[in-house]
Amino acid sequence: MHATPAQLKMIVESAFAARFLIADDRILYVNRATEDMFGYSAEELVGHTVDMLLPDEVRVRHPGLREEYYKAPRRILLGVDRDVRARKKSGVEFPIHLGLAPILEDGRLYVAVTVFDISHHKEIERQLVERAEELQLANERLARFAYIASHDLQEPLRKIATFADIVTASIAKGDLVEAAHAGEVARASALRARQLVDGLLAFSRQVSTPPRLETLDIRREIEAVVSDFSELIRQTQAQIAVAVPPGVLIEADKPQFERCLSSLLSNAIKYRKPGHTPNIRFFLRREPELALSVADDGIGFEPKYAEAIFEPLRRLHSFAQYPGAGVGLALCKSTCERHGWRIEADSQLGAGATFTMTIPRGEAPKVSPLKASA
C-alpha cells in the first residue's frame, strides 16, 4: 500500500527535524519544524533563496558551494566531519547537520533538505572535552603534588629514624639528657610529617569535591573570618581594615571561600616584619571586574615567585622560620579556578604583598568536580 500525497505531507509536517524543498536555489515548501527552528513563517521563506538561512561567512567563503552540488547531486549528510552552521531570523547562528537528497521529477531537479539542530550535542561534546582536559590537569597536578609531598616527607621521616636510633643508643649508655633531646627532635619531626599529610589530605579532598554554590555577602564572610582569628590578631596586635561595603554578593562555595580568606589573612599575619605591627587591609574594586584584594605590609617576596607561591608545598622560607603545611595558597588558587575566578599576587621583597581575587561578572561559575588547580 502506497502513501497518498496527503499522508506524505502529514508525515513531513509532524517531523521533529526541519524539512524543506528547494528548486533552482529557491525554497518551494517548508514544514512546521522549519518555522520553529529558524523563526521565519512559511510565507517569509517560500520563494526566497536559501541564503537567508546561511551565515554571511558561508556565502562569502564558499560562493560556489551550491553550484558544485547541482553539478553532481547526491544524497549527502554535511556537518559530521566539519562544522556547518545556520542562521535564525534573529541573527543567532547555531550548529547543524544538513542532509541533502536530490529528487528528479519531470526533468526538473528538486533537493529535499533536512536540518538537525545539534546545539545540544555540541554543548555536551564541549563539556566532555572540558572534563577530559580538567581530569588530565587534575591528574598531572595531583601527581606533581604527591611527588613533592613524598619528597618533603623524606626529611622528617629521616630525622625520626635517625633520632630514634640516638634515643636507643643514649638509653643504652645511660645518657638521659641526650635521649630526651633526641626524643624531642623525633617528636617535632613526627608532628611536621603529620602536618604535611594533613595538608595533602586537605588538598586532595578539595580538588575532588564539587563546589556547592550559594549567595554570599563578601563583607559578612570577611568579618566572620576576622572574628575566627581574633586571638591571633590580639597576640600580634595586627591592625585589620575592611574597606568592603556590605551587600556585595557573589555565588560561591561558603566553606571554600572562607578557607581561602583564612589562608590569605593567616599568611598576612604570619609573614609580618619582625618587631613590626602588621597592617592588613581588605578592599574591593568594582570595575572593570569585581576584585577583592588582601594587602599587607609584611616581608613580601621577589616578583619572580608570584606564580610559584601557589604551587602546593612550595615554600620560600624554611619551616623553622615560618611553620605551616604549605598548601594554603594552593587551596586558594584551586578554589578560585574552580569557581571561574582568578587569583594573582603582587609583591616586592620587604614591601608587603597584595593578593587579588578577580570575580567576573555576568557569568555563571564554571563548576566541575574535576577542576583542580594547584
Side-chain angles (χ1 to χ4, degrees), residues 261-281:
L261 292 176
S262 296
S263 295
L264 295 177
L265 179 56
S266 174
N267 279 358
I269 296 175
K270 179 194 298 185
Y271 296 104
R272 62 189 182 275
K273 294 175 181 176
H276 179 78
T277 298
N279 287 281
I280 301 161
R281 187 164 69 100

Side-chain angles (χ1 to χ4, degrees), residues 86-147:
R87 184 179 62 184
K88 297 178 183 286
K89 182 179 180 180
S90 63
V92 173
E93 296 182 13
F94 61 103
I96 61 170
H97 281 169
L98 179 66
L100 303 177
I103 302 171
L104 191 61
E105 183 71 23
D106 296 332
R108 189 182 185 189
L109 176 64
Y110 299 86
V111 180
V113 181
T114 305
V115 182
F116 302 93
D117 183 347
I118 59 169
S119 301
H120 179 65
H121 302 289
K122 283 290 185 181
E123 176 60 21
I124 293 175
E125 180 181 294
R126 185 195 65 76
Q127 291 178 5
L128 287 174
V129 170
E130 186 178 83
R131 293 291 173 85
E133 292 174 349
E134 290 167 358
L135 179 59
Q136 181 178 358
L137 181 62
N139 288 338
E140 289 174 357
R141 288 183 170 170
L142 283 175
R144 185 167 70 251
F145 183 44
Y147 171 79

Side-chain angles (χ1 to χ4, degrees), residues 4-222:
T4 66
Q7 290 172 326
L8 290 173
K9 184 176 181 179
M10 288 173 57
I11 293 172
V12 174
E13 283 292 340
S14 62
F16 288 101
R19 287 178 175 163
F20 52 94
L21 189 68
I22 61 176
D24 302 322
D25 209 25
R26 299 277 173 176
I27 300 173
L28 303 181
Y29 164 80
V30 300
N31 68 350
R32 177 60 60 85
T34 302
E35 296 177 286
D36 295 339
M37 182 180 294
F38 289 92
Y40 290 101
S41 67
E43 290 75 16
E44 292 175 295
L45 292 172
V46 172
H48 293 275
T49 67
V50 293
D51 282 346
M52 62 192 302
L53 304 180
L54 301 175
D56 293 336
E57 66 175 33
V58 174
R59 299 198 299 272
V60 172
R61 290 169 55 190
H62 306 286
L65 189 63
R66 293 189 298 278
E67 288 78 0
E68 292 179 10
Y69 177 78
Y70 285 123
K71 289 178 182 177
R74 63 202 182 280
R75 290 173 58 89
I76 57 173
L77 180 62
L78 302 176
V80 176
D81 55 351
R82 62 184 178 89
D83 287 340
V84 175
R85 303 184 70 80
R87 184 179 62 184
K88 297 178 183 286
K89 182 179 180 180
S90 63
V92 173
E93 296 182 13
F94 61 103
I96 61 170
H97 281 169
L98 179 66
L100 303 177
I103 302 171
L104 191 61
E105 183 71 23
D106 296 332
R108 189 182 185 189
L109 176 64
Y110 299 86
V111 180
V113 181
T114 305
V115 182
F116 302 93
D117 183 347
I118 59 169
S119 301
H120 179 65
H121 302 289
K122 283 290 185 181
E123 176 60 21
I124 293 175
E125 180 181 294
R126 185 195 65 76
Q127 291 178 5
L128 287 174
V129 170
E130 186 178 83
R131 293 291 173 85
E133 292 174 349
E134 290 167 358
L135 179 59
Q136 181 178 358
L137 181 62
N139 288 338
E140 289 174 357
R141 288 183 170 170
L142 283 175
R144 185 167 70 251
F145 183 44
Y147 171 79
I148 296 171
S150 64
H151 180 271
D152 279 29
L153 276 171
Q154 294 301 316
E155 179 60 21
L157 292 176
R158 184 189 64 80
K159 275 190 174 182
I160 292 170
T162 299
F163 282 88
D165 290 340
I166 293 175
V167 169
T168 302
S170 299
I171 292 175
K173 65 184 181 182
D175 190 344
L176 298 183
V177 174
E178 184 180 59
H181 171 71
E184 282 301 313
V185 174
R187 179 178 180 277
S189 296
L191 291 176
R192 167 65 176 150
R194 186 174 71 178
Q195 197 171 37
L196 286 170
V197 171
D198 288 343
L200 174 60
L201 291 174
F203 187 82
S204 62
R205 276 196 300 268
Q206 175 156 313
V207 300
S208 62
T209 303
R212 296 184 178 182
L213 302 181
E214 56 183 293
T215 303
L216 304 178
D217 183 305
I218 295 179
R219 183 183 177 92
R220 188 175 300 170
E221 297 305 314
I222 294 173

